[in-house]
Amino acid sequence: MSDIATLERDILGAVASASDEAALEALRVAALGKKGSISELLKTLGAMSAEERKVNGPLFNGLRDKVTNAIAARKAELGDVALNARLASETVDVTLPARPEATGTIHPVSQVLDEIAAIFADLGFAIAEGPDVEYDDYNFTKLNIPPDHPAREMHDTFYIARQEDGSRHILRTHTSPVQVRTMLKQKPPIRVIVPGRTYRVDNDATHTPMFHQLEALVIDEKTHLGNLKWVVEEFCKAFFEIENVTLRARPSFFPFTEPSVEWDMRCDRSVPGKIAFGTGNDWLELGGSGMVHPNVLDMCGIDSTKYQGFAFGFGLDRMAMLKYGAPDLRPFFESDVRWLRHYGFASLDLPTLDGGLSR
Ligand code: DAH
């Protein structure tokens, strides 16, 4: 067998058994590259006589074409094999369910806030808001707590540096200043709730320097204490998800209401570490309320001889603790992921009255 025939057999054999594209490329370079075996052969044509070239020219070129075609064919074959293997390994089953578990959760305070918004929206209340940094005037004076009034001592206030005109800004100690803001810009009838952040210099298991309150304000021409009781009762039924709510009213004092009433709800704490709502012989404090003081109405530009109203202020975090059984308030604001996972709510379950508040 001639040298050419041996070379052809060797190269074509190697091409046919090349196992991947890299091996095939190495063969191509070895045969057809600048210094490849076939390239070297072609270079020898130049030094040949015309006769020799006539014989060897077609022979060498034919060899080059055969090898080029064989490499192209094997390359296509290997490409198909690689693609099929990839398709088989990357199969996506589009019928699988969506991601089984979302990572973030809704904070219990946000959950309770959404629940409360749903309840009061159903009763025809709008949501009002005000700033966390508040005028001393709105937080105290216009709520019938003049400068030097002893009631200011009840609120351990965070003060912010005095303004140039001598006035003081504070971090609001309650959501009640939003009553003032609402009355100053809105004419009765008024029906709003104010959920929001409040601040006091206080820190123990049930008090944190920042906490949340829920304020309500209703102003109309014939509003009376019975309306207040009905609203508190309806709210408790919906929020605690019980039918039999028994309320107890205790006389109290707040400078911005007259008369002032604190509300308790019947509950059962006879099983240690547990609390049941609506039954038992124990009482659960809900918070303060009363008929808006005529001085407050007048200071906020509402004619107290024509209009009257009621207001209440409950602790929002406290209600989240009671309803969802969290014993300590401090972890609410510590951002511990383990606590958030345990007490948090699924992000896609928005509370609604008809769908269930706290599924
Ligand atoms: N603002 C009061 C507090 O934080 C709570 C309160 C009591 C609000 C009676 C009211 C109310 O609207 O009528 O201590």
Side-chain angles (χ1 to χ4, degrees):
M1 202 187 278
S2 71
D3 287 352
I4 299 296
T6 313
L7 188 63
E8 178 180 324
R9 197 197 55 201
D10 287 353
I11 295 178
L12 291 184
V15 166
S17 56
S19 59
D20 56 33
E21 292 198 26
L24 198 61
E25 177 62 9
L27 284 170
R28 189 191 65 77
V29 172
L32 303 169
K34 247 189 188 158
K35 297 212 163 98
S37 49
I38 296 177
S39 307
E40 293 294 340
L41 265 181
L42 286 164
K43 277 183 211 159
T44 62
L45 288 174
M48 288 181 188
S49 65
E51 282 303 301
E52 286 172 319
R53 204 178 299 138
K54 230 182 206 166
V55 180
N56 289 319
L59 208 62
F60 295 176
N61 282 310
L63 173 62
R64 186 194 56 200
D65 292 349
K66 264 193 210 161
V67 169
T68 305
N69 291 340
I71 288 177
R74 181 69 185 148
K75 192 170 177 167
E77 239 172 63
L78 286 176
D80 285 351
V81 171
L83 181 64
N84 286 336
R86 206 172 139 196
L87 285 175
S89 71
E90 292 180 4
T91 317
V92 175
D93 184 349
V94 293
T95 64
L96 284 175
R99 277 219 241 164
E101 149 188 4
T103 39
T105 58
I106 299 293
H107 194 283
V109 172
S110 300
Q111 167 76 16
V112 158
L113 213 153
D114 287 343
E115 293 178 16
I116 287 170
I119 295 168
F120 280 98
D122 192 54
L123 294 175
F125 283 69
I127 293 185
E129 283 182 315
D132 293 13
V133 176
E134 187 53 280
Y135 298 117
D136 186 294
D137 184 44
Y138 288 6
N139 194 84
F140 293 122
T141 314
K142 283 199 167 49
L143 287 169
N144 206 27
I145 316 175
D148 305 322
H149 191 286
R152 290 197 178 205
E153 301 300 315
M154 283 159 51
H155 296 210
D156 301 297
T157 312
F158 284 108
Y159 288 96
I160 286 172
R162 226 173 251 284
Q163 305 291 105
E164 272 173 16
D165 64 1
S167 67
R168 255 187 326 196
H169 283 167
I170 57 162
L171 290 180
R172 65 179 181 193
T173 58
H174 50 178
T175 41
S176 304
V178 186
Q179 288 191 25
V180 176
R181 288 178 174 274
T182 307
M183 288 188 270
L184 286 176
K185 66 167 194 269
Q186 202 178 316
K187 294 276 147 271
I190 291 172
R191 231 181 282 154
V192 292
I193 55 159
V194 186
R197 273 191 285 271
T198 47
Y199 305 83
R200 286 184 205 178
V201 185
D202 215 348
N203 205 6
D204 60 38
T206 50
H207 299 89
T208 48
M210 188 283 296
F211 58 106
H212 297 83
Q213 282 193 337
L214 170 73
E215 191 86 14
L217 176 70
V218 172
I219 310 275
D220 211 335
E221 289 182 35
K222 290 187 185 130
T223 316
H224 55 77
L225 213 56
N227 301 142
L228 166 61
K229 182 181 185 225
W230 183 83
V231 168
V232 173
E233 206 168 76
E234 286 305 303
F235 166 66
C236 288
K237 276 189 203 166
F239 181 73
F240 292 105
E241 300 175 67
I242 49 172
E243 260 313 306
N244 51 331
V245 167
T246 313
L247 290 178
R248 181 173 77 173
R250 274 182 293 115
S252 185
F253 171 80
F254 300 102
F256 34 90
T257 45
E258 183 58 39
S260 301
V261 182
E262 278 188 71
W263 297 101
D264 301 332
M265 188 178 86
R266 184 183 289 283
C267 70
D268 184 355
R269 276 189 259 235
S270 55
V271 182
K274 279 217 164 139
I275 180 162
F277 307 114
T279 59
N281 293 314
D282 218 339
W283 297 94
L284 177 83
E285 271 182 47
L286 293 171
S289 72
M291 299 305 293
V292 180
H293 198 292
N295 289 352
V296 174
L297 293 174
D298 291 334
M299 278 188 278
C300 295
I302 289 183
D303 182 356
S304 63
T305 61
K306 186 170 176 203
Y307 295 104
Q308 57 217 297
F310 66 79
F312 62 77
F314 293 174
L316 204 74
D317 313 304
R318 221 178 92 75
M319 292 200 279
M321 287 169 77
L322 288 169
K323 184 164 175 182
Y324 295 114
D328 190 333
L329 180 60
R330 286 167 298 195
F332 272 66
F333 310 118
E334 281 170 359
S335 303
D336 184 326
V337 189
R338 293 162 300 179
W339 189 91
L340 291 169
R341 266 194 212 120
H342 180 76
Y343 285 105
F345 290 80
S347 53
L348 295 176
D349 281 344
L350 278 186
T352 57
L353 289 183
D354 51 345
L357 282 181
S358 59
R359 278 160 295 166

